[in-house]
Amino acid sequence: WTPQFSWRLAPTPDAVIAFDEATGSGPADVVDAVRLGSGLIVVASARAMRLEAYDAYGRLVRVVRRRGKGPGEFSGMRHLWRTPGDSLLVFEGGRTRQFVLFDSAGHFARSWAAFGVDSSTHYLIPVAPLADGGLAMRTMNVITPAPAPALVVERPFTNLVVFDGTWRLARRLGQFPDTKRFRGPDAMLGELFFSTDTRFAFGATVWYAGDSEHSEVRTYDTTGALVRIVRWPSMSAAVKPGHIAAEQERLIADRRALFSNMPQLQRRFIDGGLRPMFQRMPYPARFPEYADLVVDPAEHLWVLEYTSPGAMEHEALKALVFDPTGRWLGRIQFPMRFRPLDIGRDYVLGARSDEFDVPRVELYRLTKPSSRR
């Protein structure tokens, strides 16, 4: 991109959706947000455990579904996707690992458990809905305690598989490196700090896979055949001692909160488990090359740069953009404290937190000046 033809986000949002104390509506803990073809913005709010639909001005139009155990109600929310025909797909996660599908009007259509058909695909993590109504899933590696002393770093493989619209295993797309994990003393285990992982993104005619340990992404067609490899100069930053200390304290704080009413378990898991594991665990020299991959409707690939823990307080997130042929176009910078959730042809929708960590959902217009003369 030259300055004349570079894509850019509008300096101010077209729509802002914030919590409204009078109605008790609005994002309190944003899981996801999508924009429908009608212009409605649907927000999945975890704390309220419901889907809320807003118009183009950010005004609440209707509540689609809410917390409960009945048809189309939720016991948890991990992901929200817009699927073909402006249907809405929610993944609950948790123990139920259930998908819930709604039509474009928000009416409950059906639900099903997201477990595979055999032992090799039993535990699954959703990746993305597909243009043909199918679902791409990756297998979950269940971590089991190892005989002490272990003290090893492992990187198992995850299998990428596709289920069709009737939840039938349609095809297997291959094995890819999963996150790194450490088996520590006394059967303690956990994901390695700032672990790299394989990221996936799916368009209508191609899909992408990239191991964030390397500054490259591989492009595949719908049959799984490799089309091209896209590479760029490394952007990875060095891991500093302060990053490690902050991550250790974050994990300890999580365990304290989890066992807040059980001081004995607190001491057991923190002093007898986490701290000894931190002393033995190896730490990476550099952060991952990128955080995630996103494909927009025109099948441009957005590579979201990795932001070190705490950096989003003073550093805006950026993305590299590649065209469908793999040509690098340029870099886009998002607003401060903003994370994109839905990228369209002419907009970016995402969640943004203020200095008090109060979230709101914002819609920004994306301008793409033509490079044709």
Side-chain angles (χ1 to χ4, degrees), residues 203-248:
T205 63
V206 296
W207 57 277
Y208 300 91
D211 178 359
S212 61
E213 189 168 356
H214 308 287
S215 55
E216 71 172 42
V217 172
R218 295 179 175 238
T219 309
Y220 299 86
D221 65 20
T222 54
T223 70
L226 180 64
V227 176
R228 70 180 59 87
I229 301 175
V230 179
R231 295 190 177 101
W232 59 91
S234 173
M235 303 182 295
S236 176
V239 174
K240 299 178 180 179
H243 297 134
I244 296 170
E247 185 68 3
Q248 289 176 348

Side-chain angles (χ1 to χ4, degrees), residues 239-263:
V239 174
K240 299 178 180 179
H243 297 134
I244 296 170
E247 185 68 3
Q248 289 176 348
E249 289 307 310
R250 184 189 69 81
L251 293 173
I252 289 171
D254 285 347
R255 293 301 184 275
R256 284 200 182 110
L258 183 62
F259 301 111
S260 59
N261 297 322
M262 296 173 281

Side-chain angles (χ1 to χ4, degrees), residues 63-367:
V63 174
V64 179
R65 281 297 185 271
R66 63 189 75 232
R67 184 194 304 268
K69 296 183 179 179
E73 295 178 331
F74 310 116
S75 60
M77 282 194 291
R78 290 288 183 89
H79 296 286
L80 167 68
W81 292 279
R82 178 187 62 250
T83 55
D86 264 359
S87 298
L88 296 169
L89 182 65
V90 174
F91 178 63
E92 285 192 354
R95 293 183 178 181
T96 61
R97 308 199 63 75
Q98 181 172 248
F99 283 112
V100 185
L101 181 67
F102 303 93
D103 65 18
S104 58
H107 300 133
F108 171 68
R110 63 190 181 98
S111 61
W112 66 96
F115 293 101
V117 295
D118 53 39
S119 59
S120 66
T121 62
H122 184 67
Y123 293 103
L124 296 164
I125 301 170
V127 174
L130 306 181
D132 62 3
L135 281 164
M137 310 285 291
R138 63 187 291 176
T139 55
M140 179 192 302
N141 281 294
V142 179
I143 304 178
T144 56
L151 305 180
V152 294
V153 174
E154 301 175 332
R155 193 169 191 196
F157 286 98
T158 181
N159 296 293
L160 185 65
V161 295
V162 172
F163 287 79
D164 66 17
T166 64
W167 197 244
R168 180 182 62 86
L169 182 60
R171 58 189 183 277
R172 300 173 187 264
L173 297 179
Q175 285 189 325
F176 300 86
D178 207 339
T179 55
K180 295 179 181 179
R181 59 197 190 189
F182 176 68
R183 292 185 180 272
D186 300 322
M188 289 298 294
L189 45 88
E191 186 177 298
L192 207 65
F193 280 29
F194 320 124
S195 176
T196 52
D197 190 13
T198 300
R199 302 294 182 179
F200 304 99
F202 282 79
T205 63
V206 296
W207 57 277
Y208 300 91
D211 178 359
S212 61
E213 189 168 356
H214 308 287
S215 55
E216 71 172 42
V217 172
R218 295 179 175 238
T219 309
Y220 299 86
D221 65 20
T222 54
T223 70
L226 180 64
V227 176
R228 70 180 59 87
I229 301 175
V230 179
R231 295 190 177 101
W232 59 91
S234 173
M235 303 182 295
S236 176
V239 174
K240 299 178 180 179
H243 297 134
I244 296 170
E247 185 68 3
Q248 289 176 348
E249 289 307 310
R250 184 189 69 81
L251 293 173
I252 289 171
D254 285 347
R255 293 301 184 275
R256 284 200 182 110
L258 183 62
F259 301 111
S260 59
N261 297 322
M262 296 173 281
Q264 290 183 342
L265 281 177
Q266 262 195 14
R267 288 192 295 271
R268 175 185 170 188
F269 279 93
I270 295 174
D271 297 331
L274 281 183
R275 294 191 190 279
M277 185 172 69
F278 291 160
Q279 293 172 358
R280 302 286 193 90
M281 178 184 288
Y283 296 99
R286 306 192 71 80
F287 288 111
E289 289 286 347
Y290 49 90
D292 209 354
L293 306 175
V294 179
V295 179
D296 68 19
E299 297 200 319
H300 291 89
L301 174 66
W302 297 56
V303 179
L304 304 185
E305 297 183 11
Y306 188 89
T307 303
S308 60
M312 285 193 73
E313 300 294 323
H314 52 80
E315 183 180 328
L317 179 65
K318 303 179 184 68
L320 300 178
V321 182
F322 296 87
D323 75 7
T325 69
R327 182 171 61 101
W328 178 57
L329 299 179
R331 179 182 272 109
I332 282 187
Q333 178 173 303
F334 299 103
M336 290 290 294
R337 299 172 178 267
F338 180 90
R339 58 185 175 96
L341 298 172
D342 181 17
I343 299 177
R345 292 183 182 274
D346 60 357
Y347 69 87
V348 174
L349 177 69
R352 188 180 185 191
S353 298
D354 63 18
E355 63 272 22
F356 303 107
D357 283 333
V358 177
R360 57 183 183 264
V361 173
E362 296 180 341
L363 178 75
Y364 287 85
R365 186 173 300 279
L366 176 62
T367 303

